[in-house]
């Protein structure tokens, strides 16, 4: 029997979309594994199903399968698909993704520790709010706006405020020097003072801001207490959402201020849409979808519309890592600032760019790429790293994944970026920005060594004995052998690397041969020695 959580019939009553349900629940509570019909399908009711009872789902139902996990839920999934249900939620859902795909129904995986009553209550809240013609209260977004305002201030060198279309101040950067009268009164009153707004309207500033993308410049008017500023409208298509104002302080704005402001105006559009219309976790959903795509667990055709990208066009993933030499709290704060910085820069380059954090690293997906995009993306990555070093006072490494021909291969591009970041973390290469082509030899060597490290049978016992002997006698033989091999047998070069006399190198290499029985004149033994000693 299917137990519903309401006593009123729902047939014909419009509900929420699956997208809104997911935006409310989100990871780690639930994650989407399959969505053959996309995330726009309507959810009209939430029902709880026990597999021991006969199926009784209806079109538009979100079916919570509470009594079965993994493959044991296959029958309930097929039955829900036949009934036209919107989605099925199960635990251990990874094992039945193919079943949901064949049944043509969305599959949600519920976290192992999640309580079913919590999932049902949250989903029910979204559906009931939509049925009542309203929305559930999902929290504030102003914290994100204030943080982003501060990031924009850093990039532009000015004083930033973010306003909606009614000139109400939503967020602003920290106070600085040379705050003019317009900014002071706007922040104190939480909206622009009418006499100044009238002047801006008279000068045609608002008309230009609402006309479309672009930077509007307002020259200094000392007689009115107005300093020089630049502004950009925030739009969703042709719909104006608000404005970003950047007032010049005691110092001129940065050379890249207008480019940063353009990127910020694009990056802010989803936030203001969320503030005005959508549940606050909407951006989190897009980040979750991006994470699922980069982890290779989501069908790109199901989520392409939701992340705003063309699945048939080339794409690339940029990966960024922060050093681990900071306290965890400080690293988290720096990472949040880095996410804002990357978002602004990448949005200025590609409107459809998306940024997400996975496993402590920050990833930027750049979809819909034109031909020969790599040089521009390399310059973009260098700009982000340089800006982070100057303004966030933190060293950041950036890795370019390869350009892949279609969005469904984004996980492969992310994998390349991870390989490069891993090689950079091991000290290979001196640059802060690299692609796989730059460090390919180091990456492949590291992966070969990792494989050897996992295969204890692929070892030469003579080298194992050499390493053990050397550890007990000062650890001087192995470094000498490796330096000698790295120098292709050039004793003087190896001596310079070790800062010892060439005769000392000759003695230690000869002594290593006596201890181990390895013949370094033999090419095969030479290669094997160099590989295994690097372990």
């Amino acid at each position: 029997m299917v137990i519903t959580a309401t006593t009123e019939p729902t047939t014909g009553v419009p509900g929420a979309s699956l997208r809104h349900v997911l935006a409310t629940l989100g990871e780690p509570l639930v994650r989407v594994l399959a969505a053959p019909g996309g995330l726009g399908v309507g959810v009209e009711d939430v029902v709880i199903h026990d597999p021991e009872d006969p199926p009784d789902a209806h079109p538009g139902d979100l079916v919570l399968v509470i009594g079965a996990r993994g493959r044991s839920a296959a029958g309930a999934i097929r039955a829900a698909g036949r009934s036209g249900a919107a989605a099925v939620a199960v635990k251990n859902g990874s094992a039945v993704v193919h079943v949901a795909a064949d049944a043509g129904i969305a599959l949600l995986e519920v976290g192992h520790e999640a309580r079913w009553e919590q999932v049902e209550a949250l989903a029910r809240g979204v559906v009931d709010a939509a049925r009542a013609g309203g929305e559930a209260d999902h929290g504030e977004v102003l914290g994100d706006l204030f943080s982003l305002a501060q990031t924009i201030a850093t990039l532009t060198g000015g004083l930033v405020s973010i306003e909606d279309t009614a000139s109400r101040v939503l967020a602003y950067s920290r106070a600085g020097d040379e705050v003019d009268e317009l900014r002071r009164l706007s922040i104190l009153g939480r909206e622009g003072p009418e006499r100044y707004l009238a002047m801006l309207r008279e000068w045609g500033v608002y008309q230009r801001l609402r006309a479309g993308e672009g930077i509007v410049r307002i020259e200094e008017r000392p007689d009115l207490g107005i300093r020089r500023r630049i502004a950009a409208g925030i739009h969703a298509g042709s719909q104006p959402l608000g404005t970003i104002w950047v007032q010049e302080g005691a110092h001129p704005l940065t050379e890249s201020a207008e480019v940063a402001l353009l990127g910020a105006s694009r990056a802010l559009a989803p936030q203001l849409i969320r503030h005005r219309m959508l549940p606050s976790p909407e951006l989190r959903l897009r980040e979750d979808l991006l994470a699922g795509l980069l982890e290779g667990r989501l069908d790109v055709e199901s989520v392409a519309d939701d992340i705003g990208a063309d699945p048939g066009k080339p794409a690339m993933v940029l990966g960024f890592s922060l050093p681990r030499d900071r306290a965890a709290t400080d690293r988290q704060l720096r990472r949040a600032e880095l996410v804002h910085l990357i978002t602004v820069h990448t949005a200025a380059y590609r409107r459809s760019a998306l940024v997400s954090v996975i496993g402590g690293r920050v990833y930027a997906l750049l979809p819909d790429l034109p031909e020969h995009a790599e040089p521009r993306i390399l310059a973009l990555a260098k700009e982000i790293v340089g800006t982070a070093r100057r303004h966030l006072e933190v060293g950041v490494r950036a890795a370019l994944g390869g350009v892949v021909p279609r969005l469904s291969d984004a996980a492969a591009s992310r994998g390349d970026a991870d390989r490069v970041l891993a090689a950079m973390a091991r000290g290979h290469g001196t640059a802060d920005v690299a692609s796989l082509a730059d460090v390919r030899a180091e990456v492949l060597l590291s992966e070969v060594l990792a494989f050897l490290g996992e295969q204890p049978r692929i070892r030469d016992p003579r080298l194992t004995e050499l390493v053990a002997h050397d550890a007990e006698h000062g650890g001087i033989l192995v470094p000498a052998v490796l330096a000698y091999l790295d120098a292709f047998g050039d004793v003087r070069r190896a001596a310079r690397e070790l800062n010892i006399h060439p005769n000392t190198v000759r003695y230690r290499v000869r002594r290593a041969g006596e201890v181990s029985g390895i013949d370094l004149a033999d090419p095969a033994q030479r290669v094997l020695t160099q590989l295994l000693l690097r372990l």
Side-chain angles (χ1 to χ4, degrees):
M1 179 177 65
V2 176
I3 305 172
T4 64
T6 61
T7 58
E8 298 178 0
T10 60
T11 305
V13 179
S17 69
L18 181 60
R19 180 183 301 107
H20 282 180
V21 175
L22 286 168
T24 300
L25 275 65
E27 295 195 43
L29 199 59
V30 299
R31 63 175 182 169
V32 59
L33 296 184
L39 301 181
V41 296
V43 178
E44 298 183 5
D45 201 2
V46 181
V47 298
I48 299 173
H49 175 63
D50 186 335
E52 294 184 359
D53 295 321
D56 190 25
H58 298 88
D61 283 352
L62 168 57
V63 182
L64 310 181
V65 182
I66 64 171
R69 294 170 175 258
R71 292 187 178 87
S72 62
I77 294 171
R78 294 189 184 97
R82 287 193 298 270
S83 71
V88 175
V90 301
K91 294 195 174 185
N92 296 349
S94 299
V96 285
V97 174
H98 65 287
V99 176
D102 291 343
I105 189 171
L107 177 66
L108 312 183
E109 182 178 58
V110 177
H112 178 70
E113 301 296 330
R115 302 191 312 275
W116 280 112
E117 59 269 26
Q118 181 185 16
V119 175
E120 190 276 334
L122 289 172
R124 168 64 48 202
V126 180
V127 173
D128 286 348
R131 186 179 298 119
E135 297 175 1
D137 181 8
H138 300 294
E140 276 292 342
V141 299
L142 294 183
D144 289 339
L145 291 180
F146 275 92
S147 177
L148 188 50
Q150 190 59 46
T151 298
I152 301 166
T154 300
L155 296 177
T156 61
L159 309 174
V160 174
S161 60
I162 302 170
E163 299 179 0
D164 63 14
T165 52
S167 299
R168 289 186 294 261
V169 177
L170 302 176
Y172 49 89
S173 60
R174 291 190 292 269
D177 51 2
E178 298 296 329
V179 174
D180 69 9
E181 190 71 355
L182 173 56
R183 176 178 170 84
R184 187 182 70 84
L185 293 176
S186 296
I187 292 175
L188 288 176
R190 302 296 289 178
E191 63 182 359
E194 180 54 38
R195 67 188 185 95
Y196 285 100
L197 298 182
M199 285 187 293
L200 294 175
R201 286 193 292 267
E202 181 180 343
W203 298 340
V205 171
Y206 283 113
Q207 182 179 0
R208 283 177 283 160
L209 287 171
R210 292 171 178 170
E213 281 191 343
I215 304 300
V216 177
R217 303 169 187 86
I218 300 96
E219 295 304 321
E220 185 176 14
R221 293 290 301 270
D223 56 318
L224 299 173
I226 297 178
R227 296 185 60 85
R228 176 177 176 263
R229 51 184 19 88
I230 58 176
I234 306 167
H235 298 84
S238 61
Q239 177 67 35
L241 300 173
T243 307
I244 311 175
W245 300 90
V246 181
Q247 181 217 301
E248 191 174 74
H251 303 284
L253 300 178
T254 63
E255 292 183 359
S256 60
E258 294 191 359
V259 174
L261 181 58
L262 177 62
S265 70
R266 294 174 175 176
L268 267 169
Q271 297 243 33
L272 293 195
I273 291 174
R274 187 176 80 178
H275 178 69
R276 291 176 56 178
M277 300 172 57
L278 300 176
S280 62
E282 182 71 16
L283 286 182
R284 187 186 68 189
L285 171 60
R286 296 180 77 222
E287 292 173 0
D288 290 347
L289 294 177
L290 173 58
L293 182 63
L294 296 185
E295 291 171 350
R297 56 178 170 81
L298 275 184
D299 171 22
V300 67
E301 300 293 340
S302 301
V303 301
D305 288 343
D306 291 278
I307 64 175
D310 186 335
K313 289 186 177 180
M316 175 191 280
V317 173
L318 290 176
F320 298 87
S321 66
L322 287 166
R324 301 191 64 81
D325 57 352
R326 293 173 177 266
T329 302
D330 181 62
R331 191 165 60 249
Q332 291 172 356
L333 293 174
R334 296 293 185 181
R335 186 181 298 122
E337 293 176 323
L338 180 62
V339 168
H340 287 315
L341 189 150
I342 294 170
T343 299
V344 169
H345 278 79
T346 54
Y349 172 62
R350 302 306 297 161
R351 177 189 295 277
S352 50
L354 286 175
V355 180
S356 187
V357 178
I358 305 174
R361 289 175 175 169
V362 184
Y363 298 93
L365 173 66
L366 303 176
D368 308 335
L369 292 181
E371 292 185 6
H372 312 300
E374 294 94 326
R376 177 65 187 90
I377 296 175
L378 176 62
L380 175 66
K382 290 180 177 178
E383 184 179 355
I384 291 172
V385 169
T387 303
R389 185 183 300 111
R390 290 191 304 272
H391 298 302
L392 303 185
E393 297 180 352
V394 63
V396 176
R397 296 190 180 103
L400 281 68
V403 174
V404 291
R406 59 190 65 84
L407 197 59
S408 57
D409 297 324
S413 183
R414 181 240 176 153
D416 286 346
D418 281 338
R419 295 166 73 193
V420 175
L421 288 174
M424 296 170 79
R426 288 189 291 266
H428 298 306
T430 58
D432 293 326
V433 180
S435 66
L436 185 58
D438 297 325
V439 291
R440 191 181 301 277
E442 293 86 349
V443 167
L444 295 178
L445 177 59
S446 296
E447 292 174 353
V448 169
L449 292 176
F451 174 78
L452 291 176
E454 297 169 355
Q455 305 292 328
R457 296 184 61 187
I458 309 179
R459 303 286 170 83
D460 188 325
R462 296 174 297 177
L463 293 174
T464 303
E465 293 175 7
L466 173 61
V467 171
H469 177 277
D470 200 33
E472 295 175 1
H473 296 82
I476 59 175
L477 301 184
V478 169
V481 171
L482 278 173
Y484 173 78
L485 293 173
D486 287 346
F488 299 98
D490 186 333
V491 173
R492 295 186 180 277
R493 178 179 165 189
R496 286 195 300 271
E497 290 293 324
L498 297 173
N499 197 28
I500 58 178
H501 194 278
N503 286 340
T504 304
V505 175
R506 292 188 182 95
Y507 168 76
R508 291 179 181 178
V509 171
R510 183 171 63 252
R511 179 61 181 150
E514 293 170 355
V515 170
S516 65
I518 290 290
D519 180 10
L520 295 181
D522 179 82
Q525 294 188 55
R526 214 164 44 235
V527 171
L528 185 64
T529 298
Q530 191 168 19
L531 279 176
L532 293 182
L533 289 187
R534 282 181 180 272
L535 286 175

